[in-house]
Amino acid sequence: MASFEVSTHIAASPERVFEVSLDVDVHTNSLTGSDERAIGGVTAGGLRLGDTVTWQARHFGIRWRMTSVISACDYPGYFVDEQVAGPFRRWHHRHYFGPDEASGTVMRDAIDFSAPLGPLGTLTEFVVLNRYMRQLILLRNKYIKTIAEQQV
């Protein structure tokens, strides 16, 4: 199993960053390069505890689908999304939001995932996926930062 963490400082309140992070439209707009779309479950607006969304995107030239559920949520401190169907053997993404010293927010993503295919999947995690998934999260967070820092 692979895991990584990413922290992003955002000049907005934890409440604002939390809400922006749960917005399906923000997510799809942050990953337009992979043609990310919500095609099932909640397909627009904000997600809440228990909601599911099925994503479709193109990565490595292949169209993938993944259904995730918001399995834990404590406004405005954290939420968890995890795969219930899709390409990973496991995908568990914890989102944390806390105040920073500059009246903004530290948004921290903690991700654990496992590729299918046993030892070949483990090798793929190490050689390709860990770096690729980190870059996707960084790209997503850059967009969240831009949107959250805009005036409401």
Side-chain angles (χ1 to χ4, degrees):
M1 177 167 53
S3 63
F4 65 90
E5 290 191 15
V6 171
S7 291
T8 306
H9 293 268
I10 301 174
S13 70
E15 294 82 5
R16 170 85 171 136
V17 179
F18 183 94
E19 290 164 3
V20 168
S21 296
L22 276 169
D23 190 289
V24 171
D25 303 305
V26 169
H27 180 87
T28 56
N29 289 332
S30 73
L31 297 171
T32 57
S34 58
D35 193 28
E36 186 99 11
R37 296 184 299 141
I39 62 167
V42 177
T43 59
L47 294 163
R48 297 186 312 239
L49 180 64
D51 284 347
T52 62
V53 58
T54 299
W55 304 104
Q56 180 174 282
R58 182 174 302 278
H59 299 282
F60 307 109
I62 300 169
R63 186 162 303 281
W64 302 92
R65 286 187 181 183
M66 182 170 98
T67 301
S68 297
V69 63
I70 304 301
S71 60
C73 189
D74 184 20
Y75 179 84
Y78 79 95
F79 70 90
V80 176
D81 71 82
E82 56 188 310
Q83 175 187 285
V84 293
F88 293 99
R89 187 172 58 196
R90 171 182 164 80
W91 175 267
H92 191 264
H93 184 173
R94 296 170 313 282
H95 307 252
Y96 299 97
F97 308 88
D100 68 11
E101 299 83 30
S103 300
T105 300
V106 175
M107 177 175 70
R108 186 170 59 90
D109 296 271
I111 296 153
D112 303 315
F113 68 94
S114 296
L117 306 177
L120 180 59
T122 301
L123 180 62
T124 303
E125 289 168 16
F126 178 73
V127 174
V128 178
L129 288 177
N130 204 27
R131 183 177 58 212
Y132 186 79
M133 299 312 298
R134 178 185 295 273
Q135 291 304 312
L136 282 180
I137 297 300
L138 288 169
L139 181 63
R140 176 184 164 275
N141 288 2
K142 181 178 178 184
Y143 189 80
I144 287 171
K145 177 179 173 68
T146 298
I147 297 301
E149 290 179 349
Q150 293 175 354
Q151 290 295 86
V152 180

